[in-house]
Amino acid sequence: MAYDPNNVFARILRGEIPNRTVYEDDFVLAFEDINPQAPVHVLVIPKGAYTDLADFSARATAEELTGFFRAVAAVARQLDLVEPGFRALCNTGADAHQEVPHFHLHLFAGKPLGPMLAR
Ligand code: 5GP
């Protein structure tokens, strides 16, 4: 899938759509999901143009990969999620119902999160 530079997260990165930022560095932006599915629901996105996890993990540089996952850890620490625990999820492609074609990692937390998948 070709990267669509007008997807909603690309527009957020360009400042064209407002967001509630919780963390930003050279590699990522992390912001609150507009339709939260848990008391804490944050999206962590790379600043580079990658469609999904498969694309990011295949094409991103070592620096981008490290920067992204260090930033996930930084967000988890900043929001005090490490000790109670959190769930990280990356919907990838049609069967996973990925809606936004810019790679993103969901961080869910703030209560016991139940089974891993809806049955
Ligand atoms: P996906 O299904 O692609 O894994 O998840 C996309 C997520 O992006 C959804 O949880 C949805 O609520 C969130 N989202 C979609 N549009 C916006 C937006 O404009 N702002 C924010 N903050 N979140 C959005």
Side-chain angles (χ1 to χ4, degrees), residues 8-9 12 17-20 31-37 41 43 89-91 96-101 104 106:
V8 66
F9 292 169
I12 284 174
I17 297 174
N19 74 90
R20 293 167 66 106
F31 52 96
E32 294 176 4
D33 195 289
I34 203 168
N35 182 24
Q37 307 292 312
H41 184 175
L43 300 167
L89 183 149
C90 303
N91 291 319
H97 292 193
Q98 182 180 358
E99 291 173 5
V100 179
H104 50 283
H106 296 258

Side-chain angles (χ1 to χ4, degrees), residues 38-41 81 85-87 107-111 113:
V40 176
H41 184 175
L81 307 182
F86 62 90
R87 181 169 291 157
L107 277 183
F108 301 104
K111 67 170 188 179
L113 294 167

